[in-house]
Amino acid sequence: MKANITLKLDASLLREIRILAAEEGTSISAMLAARLEQIVRERKSYDRSRRRALARLRDGMSLGWTTPGSRGELYER
């Protein structure tokens, strides 16, 4: 389902947008809808990536390192 919205733009900006839409062979509505969809997709992707990164930081990463038992063990390497 689609809904209509109303925008208030400066006349000079609206003129530039009309020209841009005409050059791209599309309508202002289609151009704005595509850009808004892109913004939402990018935000969702960013949020998803951020959550995964934070989860990895919380879980930590095993590097296989253990503290040496004694000074002698440290220098045996």
Side-chain angles (χ1 to χ4, degrees):
M1 181 175 122
K2 294 188 178 191
N4 290 326
I5 63 169
T6 302
L7 294 174
K8 291 185 179 188
L9 302 171
D10 288 334
S12 60
L13 177 61
L14 181 57
R15 183 177 183 283
E16 301 254 347
I17 293 170
R18 283 184 176 142
I19 293 169
L20 181 61
E23 288 174 351
E24 293 183 10
T26 189
S27 67
I28 294 172
S29 179
M31 190 171 64
L32 287 173
R35 180 63 180 125
L36 290 172
E37 287 173 6
Q38 179 186 6
I39 291 168
V40 169
R41 273 193 317 273
E42 288 172 358
R43 171 58 72 91
K44 283 182 179 179
S45 175
Y46 171 80
D47 288 342
R48 194 171 33 250
S49 297
R50 183 177 184 272
R51 280 193 304 272
R52 276 194 311 248
L54 290 173
R56 288 180 183 147
L57 286 173
R58 273 192 306 274
D59 295 342
M61 180 183 274
S62 174
L63 299 176
W65 185 82
T66 58
T67 56
S70 67
R71 185 174 182 168
E73 286 181 23
L74 179 65
Y75 288 105
E76 285 178 7
R77 297 182 201 182

